[in-house]
Amino acid sequence: MKRILITGALGQIGSELTMRLREIYGTDNVIATDIKKNQSEAAISGPFEVLDVTDGKRMVEVAKKYQVDTVMHLAALLSATAEEKPVFAWNLNMGGLLNALETAREVNAQFFTPSSIGAFGPTTPKDGTPQDTIMRPTTMYGVNKVAGELLADYYYQKFGVDTRGLRFPGLISYVALPGGGTTDYAVEIYYEAVKNRRYTSYIDKGTYMDMMYMPDALHAIIDLMEADSVKLIHRNSFNVSAMSVDPEAIAASITKYIPGFKLSYQVDPIRQKIAESWPNSLDSTAAIQEWGFKYEYDLDKMTQDMLTKLTEKYQLKISG
Ligand code: AKB
């Protein structure tokens, strides 16, 4: 990776990945793109282009203009929004991915795109979900993710594009909020803990899903992209997880630092159904063996850091 084009660079992963890549590879070598510009650090700290990922011609033009050797395609609709707008989700998620793969093929670039725990379905083994297993998702998002993994493999086999991907769990961060996901509760709970000392969860108690703190997710992306290609058997996409939690487990962790924190429930049947169709916990052995995946943050370490960073963020806002 020397010159990197990122789509969806102002989203939850992109906002932080863009800044981390700029630190490592140089500001001018990381070209952030998104459907709209805003005033965030990722948008204003280096090269930025407005790019709608459904416009494949423009994507190739931007890639050629900056002579990129890597395409990181992050722009996508998440699970809950995709369930509300399935046709739009298909067009954006699959159309955007196809354009990004074609761009990588055209400019001979290495390629990364995230898959998700959403690629699994209710017939997948729920605990210690293996790398290679039954994948029959029942959501539009999941259908997109499985098709996307297969498409990325196809581009590797057919055209030799160096495609790589991770099946991300819910990602937790204090920088940019996710939007329209099923695991978003695990981010909101920290914001509400800091602001109001209480949270009403739309996911029910006892519903376990995998999660990971954003710094570990960024490491995983960069480590996978820098891994020796010959060692990769799976490519698209590797199971990765740092913890398996339900709302009660996160609340118990928060209570260690905010003793009066209160958790209540108002379950959203749509997101609950999606969550129940996903695994409880992934097995990350293939990622560990093939490219040395590791994580630093367990639940308590993440909670401590989230609460510290969010408190700073809101104190700064109040005093500023
Ligand atoms: C979502 O909830 O849709 C995402 C995911 C797990 O892919 N955070």
Side-chain angles (χ1 to χ4, degrees):
M1 289 201 287
K2 290 201 173 63
R3 228 165 147 73
I4 306 155
L5 172 75
I6 308 182
T7 71
L10 306 186
Q12 194 206 9
I13 304 177
S15 303
E16 290 184 62
L17 182 63
T18 300
M19 298 314 297
R20 177 64 56 82
L21 293 174
R22 283 183 175 156
E23 273 164 35
I24 302 173
Y25 301 95
T27 299
D28 290 343
N29 293 324
V30 181
I31 295 81
T33 74
D34 212 306
I35 189 134
K36 270 195 245 150
K37 192 169 183 178
N38 61 23
Q39 289 309 303
S40 66
E41 228 189 334
I44 61 174
S45 66
F48 181 90
E49 296 277 343
V50 171
L51 173 66
D52 174 349
V53 294
T54 60
D55 185 349
K57 192 165 161 272
R58 168 136 172 88
M59 203 187 292
V60 173
E61 275 166 20
V62 174
K64 285 189 172 162
K65 174 176 165 189
Y66 291 94
Q67 298 180 316
V68 301
D69 68 2
T70 307
V71 173
M72 292 193 162
H73 176 58
L74 307 179
L77 231 53
L78 294 184
S79 55
T81 315
E83 239 10 57
E84 271 167 34
K85 303 175 192 167
V87 175
F88 180 64
W90 177 270
N91 290 333
L92 179 73
N93 290 355
M94 299 314 299
L97 177 62
L98 188 64
N99 288 336
L101 283 164
E102 272 297 296
T103 301
R105 176 161 86 103
E106 174 101 16
V107 301
N108 198 18
Q110 200 191 6
F111 183 85
F112 172 82
T113 200
S115 184
S116 160
I117 51 172
F120 298 111
T123 50
T124 300
K126 278 226 167 280
D127 298 299
T129 302
Q131 174 69 37
D132 300 309
T133 187
I134 300 163
M135 299 181 82
R136 306 288 295 176
T138 47
T139 62
M140 176 50 89
Y141 181 68
V143 170
N144 296 164
K145 289 301 181 189
V146 174
E149 289 187 14
L150 294 173
L151 194 61
D153 274 345
Y154 178 81
Y155 267 71
Y156 171 66
Q157 282 147 13
K158 174 96 178 169
F159 304 119
V161 179
D162 182 1
T163 56
R164 305 180 184 199
L166 298 168
R167 288 184 190 134
F168 272 136
L171 297 180
I172 296 166
S173 111
Y174 57 88
V175 176
L177 283 166
T182 302
T183 57
D184 295 7
Y185 91 86
V187 181
E188 291 168 5
I189 194 169
Y190 288 104
Y191 276 76
E192 290 304 310
V194 168
K195 289 199 273 187
N196 301 316
R197 306 280 188 266
R198 58 177 63 244
Y199 179 65
T200 305
S201 175
Y202 61 80
I203 293 293
D204 209 355
K205 70 166 73 158
T207 310
Y208 281 81
M209 286 184 278
D210 290 281
M211 303 284 167
M212 188 187 279
Y213 199 31
M214 190 62 85
D216 283 329
L218 302 183
H219 264 294
I221 295 173
I222 295 164
D223 287 353
L224 172 63
M225 291 304 277
E226 293 290 5
D228 184 351
S229 180
V230 296
K231 293 199 177 139
L232 302 181
I233 300 163
H234 286 90
R235 293 187 162 271
N236 305 288
S237 268
F238 288 94
N239 285 2
V240 283
S241 173
M243 64 196 87
S244 161
V245 293
D246 80 330
E248 295 286 314
I250 302 181
S253 180
I254 292 174
T255 308
K256 290 181 190 163
Y257 307 96
I258 305 179
F261 176 71
K262 294 254 172 320
L263 174 64
S264 55
Y265 292 91
Q266 196 172 351
V267 173
D268 167 13
I270 295 173
R271 284 179 287 184
Q272 181 62 26
K273 191 169 167 221
I274 297 174
E276 282 172 14
S277 77
W278 291 355
N280 295 335
S281 63
L282 296 189
D283 174 2
S284 312
T285 306
I288 295 166
Q289 287 176 347
E290 291 176 39
W291 52 274
F293 165 67
K294 53 187 174 319
Y295 61 86
E296 190 187 328
Y297 290 87
D298 62 12
L299 176 57
D300 281 341
K301 193 169 177 189
M302 174 180 82
T303 298
Q304 202 177 8
D305 201 57
M306 275 296 278
L307 295 176
T308 307
K309 297 291 179 8
L310 286 174
T311 305
E312 281 165 17
K313 192 168 165 173
Y314 285 103
Q315 273 167 359
L316 276 180
K317 262 198 191 153
I318 292 161
S319 59

Short mmCIF file of all heavy atoms in Angstrom, two decimals, residues 159-181:
data_model
loop_
_atom_site.label_atom_id
_atom_site.label_comp_id
_atom_site.label_asym_id
_atom_site.label_seq_id
_atom_site.Cartn_x
_atom_site.Cartn_y
_atom_site.Cartn_z
N PHE A 159 -9.32 -12.43 -12.34
CA PHE A 159 -8.53 -11.30 -12.87
C PHE A 159 -7.24 -11.06 -12.10
O PHE A 159 -6.48 -10.14 -12.42
CB PHE A 159 -9.36 -10.01 -12.83
CG PHE A 159 -10.66 -10.10 -13.57
CD1 PHE A 159 -11.87 -9.92 -12.90
CD2 PHE A 159 -10.69 -10.34 -14.94
CE1 PHE A 159 -13.08 -9.99 -13.57
CE2 PHE A 159 -11.90 -10.40 -15.62
CZ PHE A 159 -13.10 -10.24 -14.93
N GLY A 160 -6.99 -11.83 -11.05
CA GLY A 160 -5.76 -11.65 -10.27
C GLY A 160 -5.75 -10.41 -9.41
O GLY A 160 -4.68 -9.98 -8.95
N VAL A 161 -6.94 -9.79 -9.14
CA VAL A 161 -6.96 -8.62 -8.25
C VAL A 161 -6.70 -9.13 -6.82
O VAL A 161 -7.33 -10.10 -6.38
CB VAL A 161 -8.33 -7.88 -8.32
CG1 VAL A 161 -8.33 -6.69 -7.36
CG2 VAL A 161 -8.64 -7.43 -9.74
N ASP A 162 -5.79 -8.46 -6.12
CA ASP A 162 -5.40 -8.89 -4.77
C ASP A 162 -6.46 -8.44 -3.76
O ASP A 162 -6.28 -7.46 -3.05
CB ASP A 162 -4.01 -8.30 -4.46
CG ASP A 162 -3.48 -8.73 -3.10
OD1 ASP A 162 -4.16 -9.51 -2.41
OD2 ASP A 162 -2.38 -8.28 -2.75
N THR A 163 -7.57 -9.16 -3.72
CA THR A 163 -8.70 -8.79 -2.86
C THR A 163 -8.56 -9.40 -1.48
O THR A 163 -8.16 -10.56 -1.34
CB THR A 163 -10.04 -9.27 -3.48
OG1 THR A 163 -9.95 -10.69 -3.68
CG2 THR A 163 -10.33 -8.60 -4.80
N ARG A 164 -8.91 -8.61 -0.46
CA ARG A 164 -8.84 -9.08 0.93
C ARG A 164 -10.02 -8.50 1.72
O ARG A 164 -10.47 -7.38 1.42
CB ARG A 164 -7.53 -8.63 1.58
CG ARG A 164 -6.32 -9.07 0.76
CD ARG A 164 -5.02 -8.65 1.37
NE ARG A 164 -3.92 -9.05 0.46
CZ ARG A 164 -2.66 -9.16 0.81
NH1 ARG A 164 -2.30 -8.92 2.05
NH2 ARG A 164 -1.74 -9.52 -0.08
N GLY A 165 -10.48 -9.24 2.74
CA GLY A 165 -11.62 -8.73 3.51
C GLY A 165 -11.71 -9.33 4.90
O GLY A 165 -11.08 -10.35 5.19
N LEU A 166 -12.46 -8.65 5.75
CA LEU A 166 -12.68 -9.09 7.14
C LEU A 166 -14.17 -9.15 7.41
O LEU A 166 -14.90 -8.25 7.01
CB LEU A 166 -12.06 -8.08 8.11
CG LEU A 166 -10.54 -7.89 8.01
CD1 LEU A 166 -10.11 -6.67 8.81
CD2 LEU A 166 -9.84 -9.13 8.51
N ARG A 167 -14.57 -10.19 8.13
CA ARG A 167 -15.97 -10.23 8.60
C ARG A 167 -16.01 -9.51 9.94
O ARG A 167 -15.71 -10.11 10.97
CB ARG A 167 -16.45 -11.67 8.79
CG ARG A 167 -16.67 -12.38 7.49
CD ARG A 167 -17.23 -13.79 7.72
NE ARG A 167 -17.21 -14.51 6.48
CZ ARG A 167 -16.77 -15.76 6.33
NH1 ARG A 167 -16.32 -16.43 7.38
NH2 ARG A 167 -16.78 -16.33 5.15
N PHE A 168 -16.35 -8.22 9.88
CA PHE A 168 -16.32 -7.43 11.10
C PHE A 168 -17.52 -7.71 11.98
O PHE A 168 -18.65 -7.87 11.49
CB PHE A 168 -16.30 -5.94 10.79
CG PHE A 168 -14.91 -5.38 10.60
CD1 PHE A 168 -14.64 -4.51 9.57
CD2 PHE A 168 -13.89 -5.71 11.48
CE1 PHE A 168 -13.36 -3.99 9.39
CE2 PHE A 168 -12.61 -5.19 11.32
CZ PHE A 168 -12.36 -4.33 10.28
N PRO A 169 -17.28 -7.71 13.30
CA PRO A 169 -18.40 -7.71 14.25
C PRO A 169 -18.87 -6.26 14.41
O PRO A 169 -18.46 -5.38 13.65
CB PRO A 169 -17.73 -8.21 15.52
CG PRO A 169 -16.31 -7.78 15.42
CD PRO A 169 -15.97 -7.74 13.95
N GLY A 170 -19.71 -5.96 15.41
CA GLY A 170 -20.08 -4.58 15.70
C GLY A 170 -18.83 -3.82 16.10
O GLY A 170 -18.05 -4.30 16.92
N LEU A 171 -18.63 -2.64 15.51
CA LEU A 171 -17.44 -1.84 15.82
C LEU A 171 -17.82 -0.68 16.72
O LEU A 171 -18.80 0.03 16.46
CB LEU A 171 -16.79 -1.33 14.53
CG LEU A 171 -16.27 -2.44 13.60
CD1 LEU A 171 -15.64 -1.84 12.36
CD2 LEU A 171 -15.30 -3.37 14.31
N ILE A 172 -17.02 -0.49 17.76
CA ILE A 172 -17.34 0.50 18.79
C ILE A 172 -16.28 1.59 18.76
O ILE A 172 -15.09 1.29 18.78
CB ILE A 172 -17.44 -0.19 20.16
CG1 ILE A 172 -18.62 -1.17 20.09
CG2 ILE A 172 -17.61 0.82 21.29
CD1 ILE A 172 -18.69 -2.16 21.18
N SER A 173 -16.76 2.85 18.68
CA SER A 173 -15.79 3.95 18.63
C SER A 173 -16.41 5.23 19.18
O SER A 173 -17.63 5.36 19.22
CB SER A 173 -15.31 4.15 17.19
OG SER A 173 -15.78 5.34 16.66
N TYR A 174 -15.54 6.16 19.58
CA TYR A 174 -16.03 7.43 20.13
C TYR A 174 -15.88 8.57 19.11
O TYR A 174 -16.19 9.70 19.41
CB TYR A 174 -15.26 7.78 21.42
CG TYR A 174 -13.77 7.86 21.22
CD1 TYR A 174 -13.16 9.04 20.82
CD2 TYR A 174 -12.97 6.72 21.37
CE1 TYR A 174 -11.80 9.10 20.58
CE2 TYR A 174 -11.61 6.78 21.15
CZ TYR A 174 -11.03 7.97 20.74
OH TYR A 174 -9.69 8.02 20.49
N VAL A 175 -15.38 8.25 17.92
CA VAL A 175 -15.11 9.32 16.95
C VAL A 175 -16.33 9.61 16.08
O VAL A 175 -16.90 10.70 16.13
CB VAL A 175 -13.87 8.98 16.08
CG1 VAL A 175 -13.64 10.05 15.02
CG2 VAL A 175 -12.64 8.85 16.96
N ALA A 176 -16.73 8.65 15.26
CA ALA A 176 -17.90 8.86 14.39
C ALA A 176 -18.95 7.82 14.74
O ALA A 176 -18.63 6.65 14.96
CB ALA A 176 -17.49 8.73 12.93
N LEU A 177 -20.20 8.23 14.75
CA LEU A 177 -21.28 7.29 15.08
C LEU A 177 -21.59 6.40 13.89
O LEU A 177 -21.52 6.86 12.75
CB LEU A 177 -22.54 8.08 15.44
CG LEU A 177 -22.56 8.70 16.83
CD1 LEU A 177 -23.69 9.72 16.92
CD2 LEU A 177 -22.73 7.62 17.89
N PRO A 178 -21.93 5.14 14.15
CA PRO A 178 -22.42 4.31 13.05
C PRO A 178 -23.84 4.77 12.72
O PRO A 178 -24.41 5.57 13.47
CB PRO A 178 -22.45 2.90 13.65
CG PRO A 178 -22.63 3.12 15.11
CD PRO A 178 -22.03 4.45 15.45
N GLY A 179 -24.41 4.29 11.66
CA GLY A 179 -25.79 4.67 11.36
C GLY A 179 -26.50 3.52 10.68
O GLY A 179 -26.00 2.99 9.70
N GLY A 180 -27.63 3.09 11.25
CA GLY A 180 -28.45 2.10 10.58
C GLY A 180 -28.00 0.67 10.77
O GLY A 180 -28.41 -0.23 10.04
N GLY A 181 -27.18 0.41 11.79
CA GLY A 181 -26.74 -0.96 12.04
C GLY A 181 -27.54 -1.61 13.16
O GLY A 181 -28.25 -0.92 13.91
#
